[in-house]
Amino acid sequence: MTESIIEVSGLKKSFHGHPVLRGVDLRVEPSQLTALIGPSGCGKSTLLRCLIGLDVFDEGSIRVGALCLERLSGHSRAARDQTRTAHELRCSMGIVFQAFNLFPHMTTLDNVARPPVIVQSVSAAQARAEALRLLEKVGLGEKAMHYPAQLSGGQQQRAAIARALAMRPKVMLYDEPTSALDPGLVEEVLEVMKELDREGITQVVVTHEMRFAREVADKIVFMSEGTVVEEGEPEKIFSDPADIRTRQFLKRFL
């Protein structure tokens, strides 16, 4: 078995006493696209936020490569160690949200080039050259000097993907990256993700785009009520799901 690049074990998270993640176990294989699907409120986005350290989980462990962050009920490691590991985990992954979160006062080029300079101390010249390469990669080479307000929603989301890639992450995470887009703009963003998949970049995608999940994903993970209900290859999950909750969810899209 190929060693997983991400391994989540027993992950639990509550907000104000309400359990959102109820002991999630998840393995993500390198160079694969894993699609997280399930009803709204089932914990998919919270799982991503815990993976990248935006939400602090209550119990369990997350391993990304050689980095491991663990929280045990009734125990605690040194806060300094926890904080350092969480920071390293964040630096090893890139994330793209529903909202584009581009700085409106910066050009598209500066939005992509600035983070590596600030976070990784990359030289401005090197960061700019890499940003131009990435903008070409996502089809925005001619928009480098445009400001976000001058771009369509699909173009802004592609710029956000380039910005995440500029940090050279081991894994790309996406939280409903097309949900804020007009239907006509969805495909241009999904096409970038397909190309990254063809290049072997590890991606974890929270999505309601079932056609994309079925056609592109290497693995489907169905979540419900804060747990992983079942997972497997797309054809198996879509054609013959084992759990009634998966069948009930998917019949809305078939």
Side-chain angles (χ1 to χ4, degrees), residues 29-56:
E29 308 305 324
S31 302
Q32 291 192 348
L33 191 152
T34 299
L36 303 181
I37 66 172
S40 297
C42 70
K44 305 184 300 295
S45 295
T46 299
L47 175 56
L48 283 198
R49 291 177 64 85
C50 287
L51 282 176
I52 204 164
L54 295 176
D55 287 338
V56 178

Side-chain angles (χ1 to χ4, degrees), residues 36-221:
L36 303 181
I37 66 172
S40 297
C42 70
K44 305 184 300 295
S45 295
T46 299
L47 175 56
L48 283 198
R49 291 177 64 85
C50 287
L51 282 176
I52 204 164
L54 295 176
D55 287 338
V56 178
F57 56 93
D58 303 324
E59 187 176 334
S61 65
I62 295 173
R63 181 183 63 77
V64 180
L67 297 171
C68 184
L69 186 63
E70 186 175 33
R71 296 179 67 88
L72 302 174
S73 180
H75 299 80
S76 64
R77 290 170 53 189
R80 182 179 300 173
D81 290 344
Q82 293 275 358
T83 300
R84 182 170 61 247
T85 302
H87 174 73
E88 291 173 345
L89 282 174
R90 279 193 292 274
C91 290
S92 70
M93 291 181 278
I95 190 165
V96 177
F97 296 100
Q98 298 176 30
F100 318 124
N101 296 327
L102 300 175
F103 292 110
H105 63 287
M106 292 184 183
T107 63
T108 305
L109 176 60
D110 285 340
N111 265 284
V112 177
R114 189 66 59 86
V117 174
I118 296 173
V119 179
Q120 298 176 334
S121 299
V122 174
S123 72
Q126 181 182 346
R128 186 181 179 88
E130 179 66 3
L132 287 169
R133 184 187 73 81
L134 289 170
L135 288 173
E136 289 286 350
K137 183 186 188 72
V138 300
L140 293 177
E142 296 181 353
K143 304 291 186 180
M145 302 312 296
H146 285 58
Y147 289 87
Q150 298 173 298
L151 305 178
S152 70
Q155 290 169 338
Q156 289 187 61
Q157 194 62 296
R158 284 186 279 150
I161 293 173
R163 179 181 57 188
L165 289 170
M167 300 296 289
R168 300 187 178 183
K170 294 179 181 177
V171 180
M172 285 285 288
L173 308 177
Y174 305 84
D175 188 6
E176 294 285 3
T178 60
S179 65
L181 301 178
D182 293 333
L185 302 175
V186 169
E187 190 58 38
E188 66 184 64
V189 175
L190 296 181
E191 188 55 45
V192 171
M193 296 163 66
K194 291 176 186 178
E195 179 59 31
L196 295 179
D197 183 52
R198 289 190 284 267
E199 294 177 9
I201 294 176
T202 307
Q203 301 178 87
V204 181
V205 186
V206 171
T207 184
H208 280 103
E209 296 287 340
M210 293 300 112
R211 181 176 61 84
F212 170 79
R214 184 168 192 168
E215 294 177 357
V216 181
D218 298 289
K219 181 167 73 172
I220 304 291
V221 177

